[in-house]
Amino acid sequence: MTQAGPGDSRRTSSAPVRSGRPRDASIDERAAAAVMRLLGEGTYRDLTLDRVAAEARTSKPALRRRWGSLPGVVVHTLITVMGTSPTPDTGCLRCDLVTGIGGLAESIASTPVTTALPGLIADLAGDPELRERFTRDYFDARRSTTRAVLERARDQGALTPSTDIELVLDLLAAPLYYRALFAHEAIDADTAERIVDTLLDGLSVDAASNHPSAPDH
């Protein structure tokens, strides 16, 4: 049997040839931190790619290559700061929901990036591709963990069989985003517990007894 020497062109495998400059992963972190600092000092309207690039010690083309636009950088920051897997699945429905919604409430109340939500949502309306990315990578990713908890609870009889899971998901998060958008009420330490308890009181397996029977005709 012959063996291929150093100059033999016959190869059983070869490493992929990479061209161009390697991706600098630290830019992702620096860009998110830059957006946070700038939003802590100003508003979403004050943000520009030039300012973010300077704050992140990178270039505007580098930001465009990764995220396409300023709203794209803000979506990246939102995902970085808020996370996408908030709800644990320990078997305690109330505990898991309070933990998940509580984490979202804390992030919204304490994170400058949430002040960008009104302007960002307006920009998403004019950018279908970015809106799809936001929905997939942030919105749907967060909902999926809570959906799994609710579906398990329904299957185990902790929620009524007719529970509309998608509606419950909306009802859990909507008060927080509503307050973030309109700032008409504060998000305090027990907001998450009040949201969860209000919903579970109406969704518990005993809720049917609270509905009066339909009148006889």
Side-chain angles (χ1 to χ4, degrees), residues 7-203:
D8 198 322
S9 61
R10 292 172 295 176
R11 305 283 185 184
T12 56
S13 63
S14 60
V17 177
R18 298 183 182 277
S19 61
R21 182 180 302 176
R23 178 185 177 96
D24 182 358
S26 70
I27 293 180
D28 295 11
E29 182 178 344
R30 298 202 310 270
V35 170
M36 291 284 287
R37 285 193 295 270
L38 292 170
L39 285 174
E41 300 168 358
T43 68
Y44 181 72
R45 184 174 296 179
D46 298 323
L47 281 181
T48 65
L49 271 180
D50 286 317
R51 293 189 67 195
V52 174
E55 187 75 19
R57 305 185 309 281
T58 186
S59 66
K60 188 161 66 171
L63 297 180
R64 286 194 182 280
R65 282 194 298 271
R66 280 170 167 76
W67 300 293
S69 63
L70 175 65
V73 183
V74 177
V75 168
H76 157 71
T77 303
L78 192 69
I79 293 171
T80 300
V81 173
M82 307 283 279
T84 57
S85 302
T87 307
D89 189 357
T90 67
C92 171
L93 177 60
R94 182 183 183 277
C95 308
D96 294 341
L97 293 179
V98 168
T99 298
I101 299 303
L104 178 60
E106 182 178 357
S107 295
I108 288 177
S110 63
T111 304
V113 72
T114 56
T115 64
L117 282 173
L120 178 61
I121 289 172
D123 285 340
L124 290 176
D127 189 337
E129 183 177 346
L130 181 58
R131 178 183 174 85
E132 181 181 354
R133 191 197 323 162
F134 171 81
T135 301
R136 180 189 66 241
D137 296 343
Y138 174 75
F139 189 74
D140 288 345
R142 291 188 65 88
R143 285 170 70 94
S144 66
T145 60
T146 311
R147 181 185 294 108
V149 170
L150 291 169
E151 288 177 344
R152 177 191 50 75
R154 184 182 59 186
D155 294 343
Q156 294 180 353
L159 298 176
T160 59
S162 61
T163 297
D164 185 336
I165 298 296
E166 297 304 315
L167 178 60
V168 175
L169 289 168
D170 287 345
L171 293 172
L172 283 167
L176 299 177
Y177 287 115
Y178 194 85
R179 293 184 179 197
L181 288 170
F182 297 103
H184 65 296
E185 292 284 349
I187 298 174
D188 52 38
D190 65 345
T191 298
E193 288 192 60
R194 296 202 309 273
I195 292 171
V196 171
D197 287 341
T198 298
L199 280 174
L200 290 183
D201 284 346
L203 296 171

